[in-house]
Amino acid sequence: MADKEATVYIVDVGASMGRNSSGREETNLDYAMRYVWDKITSTVALDRKTATVGVIGLRTDGENFRLHPVSGMDDPKRILLPDLTRLRRRIELSNTNKGDAISSIVIAIQMVAKYCKKLKYKRKIVLVTDGCGSLDADESSVSEITKKLIQDQMELVIIGVDFDDPDYGFGEEDKNAQKAWNEKVFKNLAEESNGIFGTLKQAVDELGIPRLKSTRAFPSYKGKLTLGNPQQYESAAVIDVERYPRTMIRKPPTASQFVQRSEFATGSTQSTGTLVPDGDVNTADSNSNRFTNIKTARAYHVQDKNAPGGKRDVDRDDLAKGYEYGRTAVHITESDKNITTFETEAGLDIVGFVPWSNFDRYMSMSVSSMIKAQKTNSKAVMALSSLIHALFELESYAIARLVPKINKGPTIILLAPSIEVDYECLLDVQIPFAEDVRSYKFPPLDRVVTVSGKMIKEHRNLPSDPLQSAMDIFVDTMDLANFGKDEDGNPTEYMPMSDTYSPVLHRIDQAVRWRAVRPTEPIPPPSEILTRYSRPPEELLSKSKHCLEKLTVAANVKKVPPKVRGRKRDRNEIKPLSGLDVESLLAGGAKKKKKVSQQNPIPNFKQMLDAADSIEGIHDAVNQLGSVVEGQIKESFGDIAYGRAIEEIGVMKEEMIELEMPDIYNYFVTQLKRKLLAEQLGGNRKDMWWEMRKSKMGLIDRKMSKRSKVTEDEAKKVSK
């Protein structure tokens, strides 16, 4: 179970927070709230009842007090999206600079102590201020506050706008004496109470660094690791172990579908809201509960000519399960379904050992897990440690059969020893069965094998020695292994795993948290740390530019002109280097009128288009291919010729798009549909139109060709 948390934020909203310090375009309050909103929305995203938040306003407007809880949060509580909306409305600049930050800390301590009592909580107080107000900071009161913070184990975090921080390298110029003295008081208070004191610039700069979510370890297997059969041999080894995930893919959050509640259907809408079940309406804040989850239902039906509409609904319980066997289905009843279950017992059994050199990387099929000895079992700890060290000294891996639960399918895993300073374990990954390995044969890259079996080392498709040398030099100059710099400027790893974050996951998280607080404001671009490794370093590119130019020359790289889309008949035909017209020579100089034959329609059609010197020639080619298609449909035995007809229609569609003459194709499809529905092509051939719809052989709309006169809606209407 996750730890309970109680955090109180003290937000300074005094008049001085309305300044634009250090050349920033936003006010100090808006600048400070970037940090506060990030922390609060991160707590909301946890969706835990035990993660509670309270907010206090410092230097607020009021008659008898300068300090009060905002957004109705008298005590820390679980904060939801409606609370964020109210809190955003309440956080605004005041018209006063009067207010004591030390007193606000006292009230925050009282709030946390009252709420947490003596229970186990992570207690935290965060003060965000510009340090320009007056402080009632006599030594006795500050000493009492420090004792209370230490006694109740409360963490005090003081973040200041433009506070000096030599360690971070930031200092404010021309700082007034009052603010400098306040900073000193805050720093002493934080250090004496074992808290944190820092500048807001560092806090805001670090907001772009994703925070890794800590996960609780849940065992995927608890049982015995055996070496040998303990039921037959007394010498067999049996070790009580536990298996935990070592690496696991963290997937980004998925968007859920929701609908606006019926009582708000005619009113204005919001871009965010709280999802609640139907009938569970919070009357105290019903405006925020505008949305509800969607409930889905699934219906099953079968073809039945005697039923209304030709379909009959069936219950899910009446469905039968079966396995495809060729073109038929083998039915297995519910009572016999256990015949397909491979009965197994839970266990982890070592079946053999292999040297390190015998394991190839491609054999790893899963995320990795770690196996450790059972807790509080000293005998198991000693036995597993002996196995780990034996594998390490012999440079070997163990092959084991794993069944995590009864009647689960067995998997083969590879166990590798891992010995660290503070712990030892076995790391495991799943390896393939014989059926899982895909073997392919590809031609070699360093030689060309002729049909007769002769091997050629020099060929136009093989790299020459100068090209290979230029490529080797270029690859060496692009080496990232030690391109990074450590704190002392020494070469180090450029892309450590600890600094490599998933851009998609954290971008979605950033967008959701931003939109939760600012529904109408544009989302800022991704932080630099998410896009840092999406492109090569500029320094490395400039360093390797000269080598790339040499590689380009050695490889004889030439710019390929872009493919021109337009009328084929207006293009210049590609002529052979000899200048001879091969087709004229083969034809013997006699020009014969080409026709689209039923035996070879597609090549004939393309030849007619290439030879056409007028629009009438293109019309003639389309009409001839159309006649062939209609003849195939008319003479087809069942649907046996539908595939050829659809292929020919697809070629016609592509060619007409290429020639920018979509109207010719659209007219053909319209007439073909009319004939099919009128049963003029050998009887009832409506299923041919269904096959055309499935293959997307509808009209050419303006999205496919700018010359089309058919809109997308009109094309969809015709395809129905």
Side-chain angles (χ1 to χ4, degrees), residues 350-602:
I350 295 177
V351 296
F353 302 91
V354 295
W356 290 356
S357 58
N358 285 16
F359 178 74
D360 296 322
R361 286 189 177 184
Y362 71 85
M363 294 183 181
S364 177
M365 294 182 59
S366 67
V367 297
S368 59
S369 300
M370 59 185 299
I371 297 174
K372 60 182 291 292
Q374 188 183 59
K375 298 177 182 177
T376 68
N377 190 336
S378 58
K379 184 178 179 180
V381 172
M382 291 294 295
L384 186 63
S385 178
S386 301
L387 176 61
I388 293 171
H389 281 269
L391 290 173
F392 183 80
E393 292 173 3
L394 296 175
E395 298 184 352
S396 299
Y397 297 133
I399 306 297
R401 177 181 183 271
L402 171 65
V403 180
K405 294 181 181 179
I406 297 177
N407 290 338
K408 285 285 186 179
T411 58
I412 303 298
I413 62 174
L414 180 132
L415 306 179
S418 176
I419 302 175
E420 303 295 338
V421 177
D422 50 350
Y423 71 94
E424 299 172 350
C425 69
L426 289 172
L427 299 178
D428 75 80
V429 292
Q430 182 180 346
I431 56 178
F433 289 104
E435 298 83 0
D436 300 326
V437 178
R438 307 291 178 90
S439 298
Y440 303 101
K441 289 185 178 180
F442 298 101
L445 298 177
D446 59 343
R447 61 191 182 278
V448 174
V449 182
T450 63
V451 177
S452 61
K454 182 180 178 181
M455 294 187 182
I456 302 175
K457 295 291 185 176
E458 294 183 1
H459 191 269
R460 59 185 178 86
N461 293 335
L462 297 177
S464 61
D465 292 338
L467 176 59
Q468 188 66 52
S469 176
M471 179 61 75
D472 292 341
I473 295 173
F474 176 70
V475 171
D476 291 339
T477 56
M478 290 293 290
D479 186 14
L480 291 172
N482 296 312
F483 186 74
K485 303 290 183 182
D486 59 12
E487 297 178 354
D488 300 328
N490 299 321
T492 186
E493 184 181 2
Y494 170 72
M495 194 176 172
M497 185 182 297
S498 58
D499 293 341
T500 309
Y501 303 97
S502 170
V504 175
L505 191 152
H506 294 290
R507 176 58 175 171
I508 294 176
D509 180 67
Q510 176 196 18
V512 171
R513 288 190 286 111
W514 180 276
R515 188 49 56 86
V517 180
R518 307 168 181 85
T520 59
E521 297 181 17
I523 299 174
S527 56
E528 187 273 337
I529 196 169
L530 296 181
T531 59
R532 179 184 302 170
Y533 302 119
S534 61
R535 56 189 180 278
E538 293 295 335
E539 182 181 349
L540 198 63
L541 289 176
S542 59
K543 178 182 176 182
S544 60
K545 184 178 180 181
H546 182 64
C547 298
L548 180 60
E549 293 174 352
K550 288 186 175 181
L551 176 62
T552 304
V553 174
N556 194 23
V557 177
K558 297 180 180 179
K559 185 176 181 180
V560 178
K563 184 178 180 181
V564 180
R565 295 188 62 88
R567 301 178 184 273
K568 285 185 176 180
R569 62 179 184 275
D570 294 337
R571 300 180 192 167
N572 295 324
E573 294 183 358
I574 300 175
K575 297 181 179 180
L577 296 176
S578 62
L580 298 176
D581 190 344
V582 179
E583 292 188 358
S584 298
L585 293 175
L586 294 176
K591 292 187 177 179
K592 297 181 180 179
K593 187 177 180 181
K594 298 181 180 295
K595 290 185 178 181
V596 177
S597 65
Q598 293 189 4
Q599 292 77 18
N600 207 14
I602 292 178

Side-chain angles (χ1 to χ4, degrees), residues 183-199:
E183 285 187 30
K184 185 177 180 180
V185 173
F186 286 138
K187 186 174 183 179
N188 292 336
L189 176 59
E191 291 177 350
E192 292 177 4
S193 60
N194 300 324
I196 299 175
F197 173 86
T199 179

Side-chain angles (χ1 to χ4, degrees), residues 170-382:
F170 179 80
E172 184 183 16
E173 299 179 358
D174 301 327
K175 182 173 296 185
N176 61 60
Q178 177 67 36
K179 183 175 181 179
W181 184 81
N182 289 348
E183 285 187 30
K184 185 177 180 180
V185 173
F186 286 138
K187 186 174 183 179
N188 292 336
L189 176 59
E191 291 177 350
E192 292 177 4
S193 60
N194 300 324
I196 299 175
F197 173 86
T199 179
L200 185 61
K201 177 173 175 53
Q202 180 181 3
V204 172
D205 290 346
E206 292 179 353
L207 293 182
I209 301 176
R211 290 176 293 276
L212 300 183
K213 182 180 179 181
S214 59
T215 56
R216 187 181 181 89
F218 288 97
S220 58
Y221 171 76
K222 275 188 175 182
K224 299 184 182 300
L225 170 64
T226 61
L227 177 58
N229 190 343
Q231 297 178 355
Q232 295 183 2
Y233 306 102
E234 295 181 357
S235 59
V238 180
I239 308 173
D240 293 317
V241 296
E242 298 175 353
R243 183 173 182 256
Y244 296 90
R246 176 63 171 173
T247 59
M248 185 72 69
I249 298 175
R250 182 183 170 190
K251 298 180 180 180
T254 56
S256 301
Q257 293 181 333
F258 60 89
V259 68
Q260 188 168 270
R261 299 181 64 85
S262 58
E263 55 266 34
F264 296 101
T266 58
S268 59
T269 60
Q270 294 180 179
S271 61
T272 54
T274 305
L275 298 180
V276 296
D278 285 334
D280 186 12
V281 181
N282 184 359
T283 56
D285 190 22
S286 60
N287 279 336
S288 298
N289 298 332
R290 290 180 173 268
F291 306 113
T292 182
N293 289 320
I294 293 177
K295 297 180 179 179
T296 58
R298 181 174 294 179
Y300 302 89
H301 64 267
V302 295
Q303 300 292 335
D304 188 349
K305 296 181 179 179
N306 299 325
K311 297 179 181 179
R312 176 170 54 86
D313 292 338
V314 294
D315 294 332
R316 189 177 186 276
D317 297 336
D318 296 335
L319 302 180
K321 291 185 178 180
Y323 291 85
E324 286 190 10
Y325 189 70
R327 299 284 293 177
T328 61
V330 177
H331 170 55
I332 297 179
T333 62
E334 192 72 18
S335 59
D336 292 337
K337 68 178 183 180
N338 61 338
I339 64 175
T340 60
T341 302
F342 186 75
E343 297 182 359
T344 56
E345 294 291 334
L348 177 59
D349 308 315
I350 295 177
V351 296
F353 302 91
V354 295
W356 290 356
S357 58
N358 285 16
F359 178 74
D360 296 322
R361 286 189 177 184
Y362 71 85
M363 294 183 181
S364 177
M365 294 182 59
S366 67
V367 297
S368 59
S369 300
M370 59 185 299
I371 297 174
K372 60 182 291 292
Q374 188 183 59
K375 298 177 182 177
T376 68
N377 190 336
S378 58
K379 184 178 179 180
V381 172
M382 291 294 295

Side-chain angles (χ1 to χ4, degrees), residues 106-169:
V106 173
I107 291 184
I109 292 174
Q110 294 174 350
M111 289 175 60
V112 175
K114 178 183 176 183
Y115 178 79
C116 299
K117 300 181 177 63
K118 298 296 183 181
L119 301 176
K120 184 180 180 181
Y121 270 86
K122 284 186 176 181
R123 300 168 172 86
K124 189 175 183 179
I125 298 173
V126 180
L127 169 63
V128 182
T129 178
D130 62 356
C132 293
S134 59
L135 295 181
D136 183 11
D138 57 273
E139 293 185 4
S140 59
S141 60
V142 172
S143 177
E144 290 298 324
I145 293 174
T146 302
K147 291 180 181 179
K148 182 64 175 176
L149 290 171
I150 296 176
Q151 178 182 347
D152 290 357
Q153 296 182 346
M154 295 185 191
E155 181 184 10
L156 176 62
V157 179
I158 300 178
I159 305 295
V161 179
D162 296 333
F163 279 13
D164 295 340
D165 190 344
D167 295 336
Y168 190 67

